[in-house]
């Protein structure tokens, strides 16, 4: 086999210029495959991290009326009192890292001139900080915030440009359905990279929220963070037995929130795969053309090989190896360039803010895209390039064994 | 002992609507270790006869026997395998593979034949020494003279010790000195290795090397001496 591989490599370099031109679309296709797929993988991974770290934690206890898809929040429908046995279970479970209560409702944030629709989240700061990373990305960094203070998503402040310690008015319906308002002092900003938090969420103290809504003891959700390396399913198995005693409650995991991300990811991967397939197909046509030209130029040589008894399978092997060599060289360069590009995007990222601004791209993340540097993806791209090379050369190679020996020797 | 027998070979070609008879009832016995020349003017059927004996072409009628085995009905795959095992070719234009070195060109027939698995070095170097081009083994064909190229072609034809070597005008592209050298080497290989040689030529000098000359005209044997 080594003899035939050496022979194929030598044949490929017979016409350097043609080979280099043939390599270009393969290099481009493999490069683009690595960049686009690693960016989409990175986008997907970061979106899920953003979801877990800032929105869902590992899982939530919610009211049975809670719906992930429902954008309107009816506070009376979704709030509940957490049963004591549930709290005891969570406190004593060796699987649970931390848990926190939250109550959220729709409201309008006003600086006196402008009004901005927001989700108001009432939280218990200390437990919230242990369950979510939201306040790891606050400015200034705080150890606590008091009743009457608020932290606001940084994107909101782009519209409401006010200095720190300014006061806002929050208007909303209370638990009894009447409109009311309360003042909050703007103490800092939250900048998480998750647009759902940064663009439309303000955080206030849990007791202040309960008191405004006139819903003491009630919560909208209990977020639970599991310890590292603890299987969600293992925990659910035992916890579901506890929750099933309370038909007004249900559990939603972070995976339940990813349906939309998965659908968008799958659609984007499919569309980018089609584009890459077209580019690689152009590359494959280039390889097929090069092998055809090579066969026509080397008819006499093929005739000689066949006349001295070279079996058809070896002639097929020779030309298929030539296609594979072109595919391999193109893939190797594409893998190198794609690997470099992917590593750069993994470390530095690419900021699409000038292109997409505040547009909702369907992923819970900001406009700075980072790739997921994945060596298996790079190897997969290389394999794909070689496979295209082999498939593209197989048909022309068949042509070489079908010609009449006497005719091609003339 | 006769090892190749041709019986009443007929070969017709279609040129448009016209049928041209290239061979017209050729019968021939080729003994083991013989050194035979086929002579005749252009269009007499020399190359067609060599192509049929070489299993590159099929006759319209007649039979071809190798060691009393009739191979006329063999399909393409069996013929390829048969050529691989039993026949060596030397071409007028040398037909060396340009990207392979002298050594690799000579090694090529061993690489395509499963009977020669393993290390080929000893066999290749031995034959290169026999035809006097061992020191050129790492050169590419473009770095060789016409005479040297034809020696490589002879080595390539003989490396697997075939039953017969067929040479179509082997000296046509060589000057008279090189032609003589090439014929001397072929003759020496015929003597040393007991390989049968059958070659076509126009050249009187080349014919003089043959033990037997078969004269062809209009697809028929007109004289054997």
């Amino acid at each position: 086999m080594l003899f035939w591989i050496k022979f194929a490599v030598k044949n490929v370099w017979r016409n350097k210029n043609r080979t280099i031109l043939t390599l270009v679309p393969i290099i481009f296709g493999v490069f683009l495959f690595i960049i686009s797929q690693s960016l989409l993988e990175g986008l997907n991974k970061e979106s899920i991290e953003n979801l877990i770290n800032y929105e869902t934690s590992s899982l939530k206890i919610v009211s049975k009326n809670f719906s992930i898809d429902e954008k309107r929040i009816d506070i009376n429908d979704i709030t509940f009192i957490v049963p004591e046995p549930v709290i005891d279970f969570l406190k004593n479970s060796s699987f649970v890292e931390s848990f926190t209560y939250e109550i959220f409702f729709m409201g309008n944030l006003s600086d006196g001139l402008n009004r901005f629709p927001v989700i108001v989240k009432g939280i218990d700061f200390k437990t919230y900080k242990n369950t979510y990373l939201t306040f790891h990305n606050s400015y200034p960094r705080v150890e606590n915030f008091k009743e009457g203070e608020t932290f606001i998503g940084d994107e909101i402040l782009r519209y409401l440009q006010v200095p720190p310690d300014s006061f806002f008015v929050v208007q909303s319906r209370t638990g009894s359905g009447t409109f009311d308002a309360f003042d909050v002092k703007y103490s800092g900003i939250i900048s998480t990279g998750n647009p759902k938090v940064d663009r439309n969420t303000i955080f206030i103290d849990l007791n202040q929220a309960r008191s405004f809504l006139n819903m003491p003891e009630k919560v909208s959700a209990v977020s639970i963070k599991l310890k590292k390396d603890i299987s969600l399913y293992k925990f659910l198995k035992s916890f579901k037995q506890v929750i099933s005693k309370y038909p007004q409650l249900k559990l939603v995991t972070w995976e339940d929130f990813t349906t939309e991300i998965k659908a968008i990811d799958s659609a984007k991967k499919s569309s980018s795969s089609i584009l890459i397939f077209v580019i690689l197909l152009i590359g494959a046509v280039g390889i097929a053309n090069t092998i055809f030209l090579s066969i026509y130029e080397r008819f006499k040589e093929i005739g000689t090989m066949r006349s001295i008894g070279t079996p058809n399978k070896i002639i097929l092997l020779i030309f298929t190896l030539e296609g594979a060599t072109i595919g391999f060289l193109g893939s190797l360069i594409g893998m190198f360039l794609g690997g470099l590009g992917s590593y750069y995007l993994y470390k530095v990222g690419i900021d699409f803010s000038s292109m997409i601004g505040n547009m909702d791209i369907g992923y819970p993340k900001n406009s700075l895209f980072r790739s997921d540097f994945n060596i298996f993806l790079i190897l997969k791209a290389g394999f794909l390039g070689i496979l295209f090379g082999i498939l593209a050369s197989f048909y022309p190679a068949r042509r070489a064994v079908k010609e009449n020996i006497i005719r091609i020797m003339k | 002992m006769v090892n190749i027998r041709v019986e009443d070979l007929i070969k017709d070609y279609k040129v448009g609507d016209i049928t041209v008879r290239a061979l017209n009832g050729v019968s021939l016995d080729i003994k083991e270790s013989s050194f035979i020349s086929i002579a005749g003017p252009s269009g007499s059927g020399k190359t067609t006869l060599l192509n049929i004996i070489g299993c590159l072409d099929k006759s319209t009628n007649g039979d071809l026997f190798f060691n009393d085995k009739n191979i006329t009905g063999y399909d393409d795959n069996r013929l390829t395998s048969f050529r691989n095992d039993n026949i060596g070719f030397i071409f007028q234009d040398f037909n060396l593979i340009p990207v392979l070195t002298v050594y690799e060109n000579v090694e090529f027939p061993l690489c395509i034949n499963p009977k020669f698995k393993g290390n080929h070095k000893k066999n290749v170097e031995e034959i290169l020494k026999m035809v006097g081009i061992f020191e050129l083994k790492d050169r590419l064909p473009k770095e060789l003279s016409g005479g040297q190229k034809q020696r490589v072609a002879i080595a390539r034809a003989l490396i697997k010790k075939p039953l017969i070597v067929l040479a179509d005008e082997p000296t046509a592209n060589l000057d008279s000195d090189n032609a003589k050298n090439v014929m001397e080497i072929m003759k020496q290989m015929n003597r040393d290795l007991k390989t049968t040689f059958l070659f076509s030529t126009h050249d009187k000098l080349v014919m003089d090397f043959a033990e037997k000359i078969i004269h062809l005209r209009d697809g028929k044997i007109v004289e054997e001496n």
Side-chain angles (χ1 to χ4, degrees):
Chain A
M1 184 51 98
L2 193 65
F3 182 88
W4 302 117
I5 293 171
K6 273 166 71 182
F7 187 41
V9 172
K10 285 176 178 181
N11 279 326
V12 161
W13 286 113
R14 273 185 186 191
N15 194 326
K16 285 192 186 73
N17 291 341
R18 192 164 67 204
T19 299
I20 288 166
L21 276 176
T22 313
L23 288 177
V24 171
I26 297 287
I27 294 171
F28 188 58
V30 170
F31 171 79
L32 209 66
F33 179 85
I34 293 170
I35 294 294
S36 65
Q37 296 299 309
S38 66
L39 261 180
L40 285 173
E41 272 303 315
L43 199 60
N44 194 32
K45 203 171 162 184
E46 214 177 323
S47 298
I48 288 171
E49 280 171 8
N50 277 349
L51 196 72
I52 295 170
N53 292 336
Y54 306 113
E55 281 187 64
T56 66
S57 201
S58 306
L59 73 159
K60 280 173 184 264
I61 306 169
V62 291
S63 154
K64 71 169 173 35
N65 298 322
F66 175 85
S67 163
I68 292 167
D69 303 322
E70 184 60 65
K71 303 290 179 206
R72 223 182 107 261
I73 300 170
D74 188 331
I75 193 72
N76 285 307
D77 278 353
I78 63 156
T79 49
F80 57 94
I81 293 171
V82 190
E84 278 301 325
V86 173
I87 298 169
D88 289 343
F89 181 89
L90 293 175
K91 275 182 180 165
N92 297 324
S93 172
S94 58
F95 294 163
V96 176
E97 169 94 28
S98 63
F99 64 95
T100 188
Y101 305 131
E102 16 175 332
I103 190 161
F104 41 83
F105 55 96
M106 307 288 284
N108 278 312
L109 185 71
S110 170
D111 62 355
L113 291 171
N114 306 296
R115 276 166 26 136
F116 198 84
V118 290
I119 294 170
V120 184
K121 261 195 177 179
I123 57 162
D124 171 55
F125 182 82
K126 276 184 184 161
T127 52
Y128 197 84
K129 204 180 167 190
N130 293 335
T131 312
Y132 288 105
L133 296 182
T134 313
F135 285 91
H136 292 242
N137 298 292
S138 70
Y139 306 94
R141 293 291 290 272
V142 286
E143 290 308 314
N144 201 348
F145 70 85
K146 298 176 215 96
E147 209 171 315
E149 288 186 333
T150 185
F151 270 71
I152 295 174
D154 64 349
E155 295 282 338
I156 300 172
L157 279 173
R158 289 195 186 179
Y159 294 98
L160 307 172
Q161 290 180 353
V162 289
D165 296 331
S166 304
F167 280 88
F168 286 107
V169 176
V170 179
Q171 299 169 309
S172 183
R173 277 184 200 274
T174 64
S176 54
T178 56
F179 275 105
D180 204 347
F182 60 95
D183 291 344
V184 281
K185 192 171 88 175
Y186 153 50
S187 303
I189 59 167
I190 298 287
S191 183
T192 62
N194 180 336
K196 207 167 175 186
V197 177
D198 297 346
R199 283 179 195 165
N200 59 9
T201 307
I202 70 165
F203 293 86
I204 63 169
D205 180 70
L206 179 66
N207 291 329
Q208 186 179 10
R210 280 171 167 170
S211 145
F212 170 75
L213 294 168
N214 199 19
M215 290 180 160
E217 310 290 322
K218 283 199 167 182
V219 298
S220 308
V222 182
S223 296
I224 303 162
K225 183 182 182 183
L226 298 182
K227 282 182 181 162
K228 223 176 180 181
D229 304 327
I230 292 292
S231 156
L232 180 63
Y233 301 100
K234 207 171 168 187
F235 175 71
L236 280 175
K237 211 174 168 186
S238 56
F239 193 43
K240 267 182 180 170
Q241 290 172 353
V242 180
I243 286 293
S244 62
K245 292 173 190 157
Y246 307 98
Q248 77 276 22
L249 302 181
K250 67 176 179 183
L251 295 173
V252 282
T253 70
W254 66 267
E255 285 184 337
D256 298 326
F257 286 85
T258 58
T259 322
E260 203 177 339
I261 297 173
K262 280 179 184 163
I264 297 167
D265 186 56
S266 159
K268 285 191 176 167
K269 273 186 181 157
S270 304
S271 57
S272 74
S273 296
I274 290 169
L275 173 75
I276 291 152
F277 180 78
V278 169
I279 293 169
L280 282 174
L281 199 66
I282 294 168
V285 171
I287 291 178
N289 186 49
T290 297
I291 301 293
F292 260 129
L293 284 173
S294 178
I295 285 168
Y296 284 120
E297 284 168 1
R298 287 155 57 195
F299 258 169
K300 201 169 183 178
E301 188 180 310
I302 294 163
T304 305
M305 290 194 285
R306 287 178 59 195
S307 60
I308 62 176
T310 309
N312 286 351
K313 63 179 181 189
I314 289 188
I315 304 270
L316 283 173
L317 176 74
I318 289 169
F319 286 100
T320 308
L321 276 175
E322 287 180 28
T325 304
I326 296 174
F328 175 73
L329 286 173
S331 297
L332 208 64
I333 301 169
M335 282 160 75
F336 176 71
L337 295 176
L340 273 184
S342 176
Y343 188 72
Y344 174 81
L345 291 174
Y346 169 69
K347 283 284 174 192
V348 181
I350 179 167
D351 192 353
F352 285 107
S353 58
S354 59
M355 277 166 69
I356 58 176
N358 287 333
M359 200 167 68
D360 186 0
I361 54 165
Y363 287 96
K365 84 168 291 326
N366 60 9
S367 54
L368 180 70
F369 290 8
R370 284 181 203 276
S371 72
D372 178 34
F373 186 74
N374 183 340
I375 201 77
F376 291 107
L377 176 73
I378 295 170
L379 291 175
K380 187 173 148 190
F383 173 74
L384 209 65
I386 296 168
L387 188 71
F388 266 74
I390 292 171
L391 293 178
S393 56
F394 192 71
Y395 175 70
R398 278 172 59 86
R399 185 94 172 79
V401 297
K402 282 194 170 172
E403 286 290 335
N404 178 280
I405 300 179
I406 306 288
R407 194 181 78 78
I408 62 177
M409 289 284 280
K410 279 180 181 163
Chain B
M1 186 188 157
V2 176
N3 69 347
I4 298 165
R5 199 165 79 243
V6 168
E7 277 183 8
D8 204 19
L9 272 191
I10 292 173
K11 177 68 184 177
D12 291 336
Y13 287 113
K14 283 249 177 202
V15 183
D17 293 336
I18 304 162
T19 303
V20 177
R21 181 150 289 185
L23 292 177
N24 191 3
V26 171
S27 295
L28 183 68
D29 286 339
I30 301 168
K31 286 182 186 160
E32 201 176 308
S33 310
S34 53
F35 199 74
I36 302 171
S37 168
I38 302 171
S42 292
S44 59
K46 300 189 296 291
T47 301
T48 305
L49 180 59
L50 282 180
N51 285 342
I52 292 171
I53 295 174
C55 305
L56 297 176
D57 204 357
K58 287 185 174 177
S59 59
T60 312
N61 221 328
D63 294 302
L64 174 64
F65 296 88
F66 274 77
N67 289 337
D68 293 327
K69 191 183 257 181
N70 190 342
I71 64 158
T72 317
Y74 279 18
D75 64 12
D76 284 347
N77 285 337
R78 280 187 84 185
L79 285 176
T80 300
S81 172
F82 187 80
R83 284 198 303 273
N84 195 348
D85 289 336
N86 301 298
I87 304 171
F89 287 90
I90 299 169
F91 303 96
Q92 182 180 327
D93 298 326
F94 325 120
N95 291 16
L96 302 178
I97 297 168
V99 292
L100 299 181
T101 62
V102 166
Y103 182 95
E104 289 164 339
N105 262 290
V106 175
E107 190 190 14
F108 192 94
L110 303 183
C111 295
I112 58 173
N113 195 324
K115 287 179 187 162
F116 295 95
K117 273 184 180 169
N119 198 344
H120 306 140
K121 196 175 176 208
K122 192 172 161 245
N123 288 349
V124 176
E125 288 186 352
E126 193 180 359
I127 197 80
L128 286 175
K129 280 175 189 163
M130 284 175 89
V131 297
I133 49 166
F134 178 73
E135 66 282 5
L136 306 176
K137 68 183 170 75
D138 296 323
R139 290 200 191 171
L140 290 170
K142 67 180 178 190
E143 296 161 343
L144 304 175
S145 69
Q148 289 168 335
K149 281 180 190 168
Q150 202 57 305
R151 285 175 192 223
V152 179
I154 294 168
R156 181 177 66 184
L158 289 167
I159 184 76
K160 60 190 175 191
K161 299 187 172 51
L163 218 56
I164 185 169
V165 171
L166 301 168
D168 190 10
E169 311 252 6
T171 58
N173 283 339
L174 301 175
D175 59 50
S176 55
D177 284 345
N178 270 316
K180 198 171 164 232
N181 280 336
V182 163
M183 289 314 296
E184 278 168 356
I185 289 167
M186 281 169 57
K187 186 73 189 165
Q188 190 193 330
M189 296 297 116
N190 167 248
R191 264 198 314 266
D192 296 349
L193 302 173
K194 310 282 180 220
T195 309
T196 307
F197 277 78
L198 180 65
F199 54 94
S200 67
T201 187
H202 286 105
D203 193 339
K204 180 75 178 68
L205 176 123
V206 174
M207 279 181 227
D208 290 344
F209 280 88
E211 295 166 358
K212 182 178 174 183
I213 303 171
I214 297 164
H215 293 273
L216 276 182
R217 182 165 297 151
D218 300 328
K220 284 182 176 175
I221 295 175
V222 290
E223 192 184 347
E224 283 186 55
N225 49 35

